[in-house]
Amino acid sequence: MTALPDREAVGTLLRHVLELLDGDVAKVYAERDLADYRPRYSPVVRALLAQGPMPIRDLARTVGVTHSAASQTVAQMNRAGLVDLTPGPDARQRLVNLTTKAHDLLPLITAEWSATTTAMRTLDTELSIPLVDLLTELTTALTHRPFRQRIADAGLPTPPPPPPPPQDQDDLA
């Protein structure tokens, strides 16, 4: 068993929990010959199933990630043959579409989603508050008052202003 991170290292603990959850889901995929499928693909697949092909910008907004994160995930999914990109109505846009390969995998992927949801509910019975409720509460609190502001309010001194830019010798004459 891996030792738990220091209680003060909250970011490390959050990443550790995510690694435990996503790591085991990835093992489930690998055991079912879906080694190219990653847990991070599921929100994209769900969004495309629900709303159809869409630009990466809209996909990012729909799944709640940055454009950069959505772009990276779509690129990985494209390499795995799960999505393709077609020109959108605006020449600057590319529409993300699920491929036939992705549609063929849907019975297995949706069965995993269902089993994962059930497993999460079982895990929640061992916690003092369901994990999704805690994470939603945490997100709301940090959106209302960002952690950066909380750090400043805790007494961290304000950084000094940057020095003025150097003047050219010609300006001094």
Side-chain angles (χ1 to χ4, degrees):
M1 179 176 151
T2 305
L4 286 177
D6 183 325
R7 287 182 56 87
E8 298 296 320
V10 175
T12 301
L13 187 56
L14 286 169
R15 282 185 290 280
H16 183 67
V17 168
L18 184 59
E19 288 169 5
L20 290 171
L21 293 171
D22 275 358
D24 278 349
V25 171
K27 288 175 187 172
V28 167
Y29 293 139
E31 291 166 357
R32 284 152 184 80
D33 293 326
L34 288 177
D36 287 343
Y37 192 87
R38 305 279 181 264
R40 69 186 296 176
Y41 299 170
S42 291
V44 172
V45 172
R46 287 176 184 253
L48 294 173
L49 283 173
Q51 298 181 27
M54 67 178 86
I56 292 174
R57 179 189 65 246
D58 296 346
L59 184 60
R61 193 174 312 121
T62 299
V63 301
V65 299
T66 65
H67 183 276
S68 176
S71 249
Q72 290 173 12
T73 299
V74 165
Q76 290 173 345
M77 293 177 75
N78 182 261
R79 285 191 297 275
L82 299 170
V83 298
D84 58 27
L85 300 164
T86 58
D90 178 341
R92 297 169 295 172
Q93 290 183 341
R94 294 180 301 159
L95 297 178
V96 182
N97 303 285
L98 291 175
T99 63
T100 302
K101 177 180 177 180
H103 282 281
D104 290 346
L105 295 174
L106 283 177
L108 182 54
I109 293 169
T110 55
E112 178 277 319
W113 290 343
S114 178
T116 298
T117 298
T118 300
M120 195 67 231
R121 287 189 185 123
T122 302
L123 176 61
D124 282 342
T125 66
E126 299 174 35
L127 306 174
S128 60
I129 178 174
L131 184 57
V132 71
D133 292 347
L134 176 61
L135 294 174
T136 301
E137 189 177 330
L138 178 63
T139 301
T140 301
L142 291 173
T143 301
H144 174 73
R145 188 164 155 237
F147 201 57
R148 180 174 179 257
Q149 182 62 50
R150 294 166 190 269
I151 292 169
D153 293 347
L156 184 66
T158 305
Q167 293 182 339
D168 286 343
Q169 292 294 351
D170 294 339
D171 293 341
L172 298 175

